[in-house]
Amino acid sequence: MTVDVTDGVSLYTGVSASSTGSADTGWSQATITSWNIGFQAELYKQNGGTIPTLTWQSTITQAIPNGPVGTTTFNNIFELSYAFDKDETRGLLAGVQDVHVAINSPLASIHPSITGYVGGYYQWPNNWKFTGRVGLQWFGGAELQNVTLVKSFTEPVLRFDIDRMDDNDNRLFGVTAEIMWVPKPAYQLTLRTPLYFVRN
């Protein structure tokens, strides 16, 4: 759920659920695996000028159940967006994402992950919008009882977004495809269809 406090500040919260299945066992019952809360704020707006828009997005995610190996994830994204036209239908992007994961147990640790990226976007007159990003991710690795489970690595990241917008630039439908080398390629496809509640 997202609430627009102002034109440049949004607050959001939500939960994630998952279900696993196989040909032998079928699908398990869907269970809630985490909750999150965060905000997105435009710290500076380009408004046709030469200085790009600066956006800060911060999210805290808490795993459920929050037991001895429960995790809390802190995700911060700072992004610069430079529009070539007044309507902001085409432009360039550059940003950095910082992820910290805290584990309740002192026996395990996950080091931070930092991703830097560049990209661009283009929105057609029919309100379809394409955004592409390419970046480099550095991950510090993970240990359990001083045994390295995942070594540190630096690998590329690709992300492509196709969104259907309305005349007020609200997303009506979106598809995101992401490839992350961790260090082997991992693929993620996300479909988004927001539900809007309007008070007259």
Side-chain angles (χ1 to χ4, degrees):
M1 182 178 67
T2 302
V3 177
D4 294 330
V5 180
T6 66
D7 289 340
V9 178
S10 299
L11 305 178
Y12 56 87
T13 184
V15 296
S16 297
S18 66
S19 176
T20 60
S22 67
D24 297 329
T25 62
W27 288 95
S28 65
Q29 183 178 355
T31 56
I32 297 177
T33 56
S34 67
W35 60 265
N36 66 76
I37 187 171
F39 69 88
Q40 179 171 309
E42 290 183 345
L43 303 181
Y44 179 83
K45 182 71 173 175
Q46 182 179 353
N47 282 332
T50 57
I51 300 176
T53 297
L54 174 60
T55 303
W56 175 22
Q57 182 178 356
S58 183
T59 309
I60 299 175
T61 303
Q62 175 69 67
I64 298 175
N66 188 19
V69 293
T71 60
T72 304
T73 304
F74 303 90
N75 187 355
N76 286 285
I77 301 174
F78 290 91
E79 184 174 87
L80 292 170
S81 174
Y82 182 83
F84 291 120
D85 58 349
K86 189 175 182 179
D87 293 333
E88 299 182 357
T89 59
R90 54 192 177 92
L92 299 175
L93 301 172
V96 61
Q97 179 178 11
D98 176 66
V99 180
H100 286 259
V101 180
I103 304 179
N104 294 342
S105 173
L107 301 178
S109 62
I110 299 176
H111 297 289
S113 170
I114 300 175
T115 303
Y117 62 88
V118 294
Y121 61 90
Y122 184 86
Q123 184 170 333
W124 285 269
N126 59 6
N127 285 337
W128 281 98
K129 183 177 182 180
F130 173 80
T131 306
R133 297 176 178 87
V134 58
L136 204 60
Q137 178 192 26
W138 174 83
F139 176 57
E143 290 91 25
L144 176 62
Q145 292 184 334
N146 296 323
V147 176
T148 300
L149 297 179
V150 180
K151 296 181 179 179
S152 63
F153 60 82
T154 303
E155 296 288 349
V157 178
L158 291 174
R159 174 174 168 173
F160 303 101
D161 297 89
I162 298 177
D163 297 297
R164 173 68 171 177
M165 316 295 286
D166 65 10
D167 292 334
N168 295 319
D169 279 342
N170 296 310
R171 181 185 294 109
L172 302 178
F173 174 79
V175 180
T176 297
E178 189 169 12
I179 306 174
M180 302 179 66
W181 282 259
V182 289
K184 294 183 179 181
Y187 307 91
Q188 180 173 312
L189 183 68
T190 305
L191 306 177
R192 297 186 304 276
T193 303
L195 301 175
Y196 292 98
F197 297 90
V198 179
R199 183 179 63 181
N200 294 323

